[in-house]
Amino acid sequence: MLGVIFVFLSNFVFAANEGKFFIVKGNVQIENGKEILKAKVGASVSAGDVIVTDVDSRAKIVMVDKNVIHVSPSTRLKIETYKTTGADKNVNLNLIEGKVRNDVKQKYDNKNSKFEVRTATAVAGVRGTRFITSFDKANKVTQVITVSGKVEFQSITAANTGNTNTSGVTVEAGQKSEQKESNNPSAPIVLPPTEMKQIETEATVKKG
């Protein structure tokens, strides 16, 4: 009987933790609705948590399904939903402000299974790729830069109403698109390789 209880509790603990901090630099906090915790390497991340990085602080989070989240300085990111198995495989990240890079290892069809980064004004959805999303809260500008793969980018209004045919754009590898407040995303532009490399480097959290 004790063995059964131990297995049950072990599975519960594993299920409740969707990821762990792999790298923490500077002042990084976890807000879980009940308390504010100082993030450290090995600390768990769960759905509902808000990751907050101070100026000159950053973090790398490795999720249970091997997806990786790089959180840049001056960022607030909420893990709204993180379901990794079955028909309900669904990831919803709320970028309140700042910048994140996502290295998406899993495959999503953007229909039955989704990986989305949402801001107050836009939604970026992927199938499996590496991309950078930033949100300027003061100016209400969302930007998407695709490192590899493709990102479906649309306004939050279009996403909520399902009207994706007339307003969304596909941001290919090496391209950038911006969306300002209630407008539709801009036509993607190709970034020079040197600029692309610099942007990718700045958004990647590494040891040392």
Side-chain angles (χ1 to χ4, degrees), residues 37-92:
L37 305 173
K38 185 175 178 60
K40 59 183 180 180
V41 174
S44 297
V45 174
S46 302
D49 288 348
V50 179
I51 314 304
V52 183
T53 57
D54 206 344
V55 178
D56 296 328
S57 303
R58 54 183 65 222
K60 178 180 179 180
I61 303 169
V62 179
M63 307 305 287
V64 67
D65 56 0
K66 306 305 180 186
N67 290 336
V68 180
I69 304 172
H70 301 257
V71 189
S72 291
S74 302
T75 294
R76 292 180 65 87
L77 176 72
K78 183 175 183 180
I79 314 295
E80 294 282 2
T81 307
Y82 211 98
K83 297 180 180 179
T84 60
T85 58
D88 291 332
K89 187 168 76 168
N90 184 30
V91 176
N92 182 359

Side-chain angles (χ1 to χ4, degrees), residues 71-174:
V71 189
S72 291
S74 302
T75 294
R76 292 180 65 87
L77 176 72
K78 183 175 183 180
I79 314 295
E80 294 282 2
T81 307
Y82 211 98
K83 297 180 180 179
T84 60
T85 58
D88 291 332
K89 187 168 76 168
N90 184 30
V91 176
N92 182 359
L93 306 180
N94 178 11
L95 181 57
I96 301 167
E97 62 180 326
K99 180 192 297 181
V100 293
R101 167 179 164 159
N102 288 281
D103 295 345
V104 182
K105 311 293 184 180
Q106 302 301 313
K107 298 297 182 183
Y108 302 85
D109 61 15
N110 245 348
K111 295 178 181 177
N112 298 318
S113 60
K114 294 184 178 183
F115 186 110
E116 294 182 337
V117 178
R118 291 178 172 245
T119 71
T121 66
V123 179
V126 305
R127 290 177 171 82
T129 186
R130 294 179 293 154
F131 70 109
I132 300 162
T133 310
S134 63
F135 180 59
D136 183 333
K137 188 176 181 180
N139 297 313
K140 292 185 168 58
V141 176
T142 302
Q143 183 184 91
V144 166
I145 297 173
T146 303
V147 179
S148 66
K150 299 179 181 180
V151 176
E152 302 300 326
F153 188 35
Q154 57 188 304
S155 71
I156 193 73
T157 302
N160 290 339
T161 59
N163 183 22
T164 60
N165 294 326
T166 60
S167 61
V169 298
T170 300
V171 187
E172 308 266 357

